[in-house]
Amino acid sequence: MQLPSIPTADLIWDEVGHPISKHHNDVYYSRENGIEETQHVFLANNHIGQRIQETDTRPHLTVAEIGFGTGLNFLCCWLEWHQKKASGNVVPLHFVSVENTPLLASDLAKALANWPSLSHLSEQLLEQYPLAVKGCHRLVFEQGLVTLTLYIGDAEEQFNHALFLADAWFLDGFAPHKSPEMWSSTLFDIIGRHSAQNATFSTFSVAGVIRRGMQQVGFNVVKVPGFGRKKEMQAGQFVANTNTSINQQLDLPWFRGSLGNTPNLSACDYDVTIIGAGLAGATTATVLTARGLKVLVIEKQNEPGKGGSGNPQGALYNKFSSDFNVQTEYALSNLLFSQSYYHRTQKQSDVKFWNKCGLIQVAWSEKEGKKQADFLERNQYPKNLLTPIDAKQATSISGVPLNHGGLYFPHSGWVAPKKLCSVLFKNSAIDTRYNTQIKKFTQNADTHIWSITDINDQEIATSRNIVVCSASEAKTFSQLEHLKIKPIRGQVSVVSSKTEYPLNTVLCGEGYISPQNDHKFCFGATFDLKNNHCEELEEDHTKNINQLTEWLHSAKTLLSKTQITTIEGRASQRCSSPDYVPIIGKAPILDEQIDRFSKLRNDAKAKFEIPGAYYEGLFVNIAHGSKGLSSCPLAAEFIASQICNEPSPLSADVVSAISPSRFIIRDLIRRKL
């Protein structure tokens, strides 16, 4: 049993403190000078310094690497970008890497301590360095202008499902004679599939298996002077049929066409217009603005965070399935990224919206206890992500008496989403229009520019792209009325009490309760499919109190009628999908999608060559339900990657699972369309 945990590297340290792989009996970098080796072998032979400054001819530079190791190549690449930025304009840098046996964070820190000149960057890497769990991890630096997308796991498996096109390849895995199983023909095929037009590569090795493998997938290969005592190394350029779109990398034809955006240079008011100023809209606007795009946010209310994102406190929480499937992989990616996101964002703000107080998923019932036992039996997660605790430990950690143990998430906590939305919109580069309701948006057939009209039939703005983040109201637009979404009413309760209740962590059972904030406790929430209003109901306060105290007995006095001094609440409509997975990505054209794939009605395994049909420049980011605090930050990164044609922070399997097209295809197969 390993999933999703990945075994970490077993190291030997030489006499001067450089790491050596015990399993492969190979060094991670040159013992002569690791930085100089990286600069010669990888940066110089891929012309990284020059390409970083090609602002007139390229939107960004994507470097891909086989073998992340100590991260030295990434740090040197980032340093080059940093130095060039200080003297002029540079393009965004995206670094995509894979590592099968990642270093422990403590070992990484020890290895990078050998390079004091990189300490200002290595400290930032260490702060975001991911846990050793399988899958895709997005790390964000320089306000999004430098990203590291690190895949943990087998190189073939991980890159086979990755979505990116590389401008340069650093082939820096262990030497072929030390690790022959890695340098397979399949891996070289994947490299070819992920290579952009005029991509380059370099490697310290002169092994024939690398030369033949790269030649077979379309690279010319030459020997050039090596570093130090190595007389020669290999480098080359991609000369095969050029790859121009990551859409080719999606397995199922109906999802092809759903990635990226055709560059549109026609004159208009904005690069991106976002409809909705809740958490989805706020995070998306911030990420896009950081990339230098001109962004407008339109909101029908008079301020941000008035809808489902308006609660005073919410739990940063994801419940994982016992099966490590695509949905679990996605939930894990969301949780890890959001924990890092809130930490980074809080450091930049004086407004307290995030508290990493920890969270306990309480085994509050016999059924829940059995689920957690099954989960732990079938999965292995790092202890600093989650760890099982008994009732005594839960009581000690939480600060209040608990009759049950559970799963402890030390890096989770609570978020104040309304405060967070306000913090994000303080970014002066974001244009906002409140008290404005959109009636429709239409696209010019020739220029593909969108025109956005309000309910008074007045044109508000023109835009190259639109991202609809308006939850259930997305269905009011004709292009999106087919989306399968449902509103779910939820009411939270906020209480002041005479009773002292020293709760230290968020507790999640049947409902949740957060530690005291502003001398009040926030808990709930109801789950109501029948009512669609947002009025505060006294009966829902009673439901919340009864639901919580049924398993959290220590809160009975706190929430008794004789002790409560004030009780208030807030009701809103969560927007959910039928499968409770968010709907994120480019919007499909319903009639054309049905027409192209109508054969699925009679043959669910029918073969197709044609791609799906999608509106260029129209995206949705909705249906986050009760887990939006976890899913919105990474969703924003994904939307930005599509609009800017950058490497995706999500695997192809996850992209298919969240695609707005998935319901059309399911309904065709089930003959509902």
Side-chain angles (χ1 to χ4, degrees), residues 30 90 117 125 148 170 173 183 263 273 309 313 389 410 420 438 460 462 538 552 600:
S30 169
V90 292
S117 62
L125 172 61
L148 167 61
F170 295 179
W183 302 100
T273 296
S309 301
Q313 281 177 290
I389 55 176
L420 173 59
I438 304 302
I460 297 173
T462 56
E538 186 64 34
L552 186 57
L600 288 171

Short mmCIF file of all heavy atoms in Angstrom, two decimals, residues 30 90 117 125 148 170 173 183 263 273 309 313 389 410 420 438 460 462 538 552 600:
data_model
loop_
_atom_site.label_atom_id
_atom_site.label_comp_id
_atom_site.label_asym_id
_atom_site.label_seq_id
_atom_site.Cartn_x
_atom_site.Cartn_y
_atom_site.Cartn_z
N SER A 30 27.03 17.75 -10.50
CA SER A 30 28.49 17.65 -10.56
C SER A 30 29.12 18.00 -9.22
O SER A 30 28.76 18.99 -8.57
CB SER A 30 29.04 18.59 -11.63
OG SER A 30 30.44 18.69 -11.54
N VAL A 90 10.94 40.72 -19.49
CA VAL A 90 11.09 39.28 -19.64
C VAL A 90 9.70 38.66 -19.83
O VAL A 90 8.68 39.27 -19.49
CB VAL A 90 11.76 38.65 -18.39
CG1 VAL A 90 13.20 39.07 -18.27
CG2 VAL A 90 10.99 39.00 -17.12
N SER A 117 24.34 31.40 -2.82
CA SER A 117 23.95 32.42 -3.81
C SER A 117 22.50 32.24 -4.27
O SER A 117 21.92 33.15 -4.87
CB SER A 117 24.88 32.37 -5.02
OG SER A 117 24.79 31.11 -5.67
N LEU A 125 11.28 28.21 -2.47
CA LEU A 125 10.97 26.86 -2.93
C LEU A 125 10.65 25.94 -1.76
O LEU A 125 9.67 25.19 -1.78
CB LEU A 125 12.14 26.30 -3.74
CG LEU A 125 12.04 24.81 -4.14
CD1 LEU A 125 10.82 24.56 -5.01
CD2 LEU A 125 13.32 24.36 -4.84
N LEU A 148 6.23 26.66 -11.07
CA LEU A 148 6.82 25.32 -11.11
C LEU A 148 5.67 24.32 -11.04
O LEU A 148 4.90 24.32 -10.08
CB LEU A 148 7.77 25.11 -9.94
CG LEU A 148 8.24 23.66 -9.69
CD1 LEU A 148 9.00 23.10 -10.88
CD2 LEU A 148 9.10 23.60 -8.42
N PHE A 170 15.25 19.78 -20.36
CA PHE A 170 16.43 19.43 -19.56
C PHE A 170 16.32 17.94 -19.24
O PHE A 170 15.49 17.54 -18.41
CB PHE A 170 16.47 20.22 -18.25
CG PHE A 170 16.63 21.71 -18.38
CD1 PHE A 170 16.66 22.50 -17.22
CD2 PHE A 170 16.76 22.34 -19.61
CE1 PHE A 170 16.82 23.87 -17.30
CE2 PHE A 170 16.91 23.72 -19.70
CZ PHE A 170 16.93 24.49 -18.54
N GLY A 173 17.66 13.12 -15.72
CA GLY A 173 17.48 11.95 -14.88
C GLY A 173 18.82 11.27 -14.63
O GLY A 173 19.85 11.65 -15.20
N TRP A 183 14.70 5.34 -19.21
CA TRP A 183 14.93 5.85 -20.57
C TRP A 183 14.33 4.90 -21.60
O TRP A 183 15.03 4.28 -22.40
CB TRP A 183 16.42 6.07 -20.80
CG TRP A 183 17.02 7.03 -19.82
CD1 TRP A 183 17.74 6.72 -18.70
CD2 TRP A 183 16.91 8.45 -19.85
NE1 TRP A 183 18.10 7.87 -18.04
CE2 TRP A 183 17.61 8.95 -18.72
CE3 TRP A 183 16.29 9.36 -20.72
CZ2 TRP A 183 17.71 10.31 -18.44
CZ3 TRP A 183 16.38 10.72 -20.44
CH2 TRP A 183 17.09 11.18 -19.32
N PRO A 263 -5.18 33.02 -30.12
CA PRO A 263 -4.78 34.41 -29.90
C PRO A 263 -5.64 35.38 -30.70
O PRO A 263 -5.90 35.15 -31.88
CB PRO A 263 -3.32 34.43 -30.37
CG PRO A 263 -2.86 33.02 -30.25
CD PRO A 263 -4.06 32.17 -30.55
N THR A 273 -13.12 39.60 -19.24
CA THR A 273 -14.20 40.10 -18.39
C THR A 273 -14.73 38.95 -17.56
O THR A 273 -15.03 37.88 -18.10
CB THR A 273 -15.34 40.72 -19.22
OG1 THR A 273 -14.84 41.86 -19.92
CG2 THR A 273 -16.50 41.13 -18.34
N SER A 309 -20.12 33.22 -1.25
CA SER A 309 -18.79 33.49 -0.68
C SER A 309 -18.85 34.48 0.47
O SER A 309 -17.82 35.01 0.88
CB SER A 309 -17.86 34.04 -1.77
OG SER A 309 -17.72 33.14 -2.84
N GLN A 313 -17.04 32.69 8.27
CA GLN A 313 -15.97 31.70 8.39
C GLN A 313 -16.40 30.44 7.65
O GLN A 313 -17.57 30.08 7.60
CB GLN A 313 -15.72 31.32 9.85
CG GLN A 313 -14.90 32.28 10.66
CD GLN A 313 -14.79 31.83 12.10
OE1 GLN A 313 -15.77 31.86 12.84
NE2 GLN A 313 -13.61 31.40 12.50
N ILE A 389 -6.01 10.11 14.78
CA ILE A 389 -5.86 10.40 16.21
C ILE A 389 -7.02 9.76 16.97
O ILE A 389 -8.11 9.58 16.43
CB ILE A 389 -5.82 11.92 16.49
CG1 ILE A 389 -7.05 12.62 15.91
CG2 ILE A 389 -4.54 12.53 15.94
CD1 ILE A 389 -7.13 14.11 16.23
N PRO A 410 -3.23 19.07 10.01
CA PRO A 410 -2.56 20.17 10.72
C PRO A 410 -2.42 21.46 9.93
O PRO A 410 -2.29 22.53 10.52
CB PRO A 410 -1.18 19.58 11.05
CG PRO A 410 -0.96 18.50 10.04
CD PRO A 410 -2.32 17.93 9.77
N LEU A 420 -11.63 37.78 2.39
CA LEU A 420 -10.65 37.43 1.36
C LEU A 420 -11.00 38.08 0.03
O LEU A 420 -10.12 38.62 -0.66
CB LEU A 420 -10.56 35.91 1.21
CG LEU A 420 -9.70 35.40 0.05
CD1 LEU A 420 -8.26 35.88 0.18
CD2 LEU A 420 -9.75 33.87 -0.01
N ILE A 438 -25.90 41.60 -15.92
CA ILE A 438 -25.68 41.31 -17.33
C ILE A 438 -26.91 40.60 -17.92
O ILE A 438 -27.45 39.67 -17.32
CB ILE A 438 -24.44 40.41 -17.51
CG1 ILE A 438 -23.21 41.07 -16.88
CG2 ILE A 438 -24.18 40.15 -19.00
CD1 ILE A 438 -22.90 42.42 -17.41
N ILE A 460 -21.74 47.30 -22.09
CA ILE A 460 -20.86 47.66 -20.98
C ILE A 460 -19.40 47.67 -21.42
O ILE A 460 -18.63 48.57 -21.10
CB ILE A 460 -21.03 46.66 -19.82
CG1 ILE A 460 -22.44 46.75 -19.27
CG2 ILE A 460 -20.02 46.92 -18.71
CD1 ILE A 460 -22.73 45.68 -18.25
N THR A 462 -16.35 45.51 -24.33
CA THR A 462 -15.98 44.45 -25.26
C THR A 462 -14.76 43.74 -24.69
O THR A 462 -13.95 44.35 -23.99
CB THR A 462 -15.66 45.00 -26.66
OG1 THR A 462 -14.63 45.99 -26.55
CG2 THR A 462 -16.90 45.62 -27.29
N GLU A 538 -35.24 30.98 11.76
CA GLU A 538 -35.01 30.56 13.13
C GLU A 538 -34.92 29.05 13.23
O GLU A 538 -34.12 28.49 13.99
CB GLU A 538 -36.12 31.09 14.03
CG GLU A 538 -35.90 30.82 15.51
CD GLU A 538 -34.67 31.53 16.05
OE1 GLU A 538 -34.36 32.65 15.57
OE2 GLU A 538 -34.00 30.96 16.94
N LEU A 552 -21.15 16.63 19.15
CA LEU A 552 -20.19 17.43 19.91
C LEU A 552 -20.84 17.80 21.25
O LEU A 552 -21.34 18.92 21.43
CB LEU A 552 -19.78 18.68 19.12
CG LEU A 552 -18.68 19.54 19.72
CD1 LEU A 552 -17.40 18.76 19.95
CD2 LEU A 552 -18.41 20.76 18.83
N LEU A 600 -22.84 8.46 -30.44
CA LEU A 600 -22.71 7.85 -29.11
C LEU A 600 -24.04 7.31 -28.59
O LEU A 600 -24.06 6.45 -27.71
CB LEU A 600 -22.15 8.88 -28.12
CG LEU A 600 -20.67 9.25 -28.28
CD1 LEU A 600 -20.32 10.42 -27.38
CD2 LEU A 600 -19.78 8.06 -27.96
#
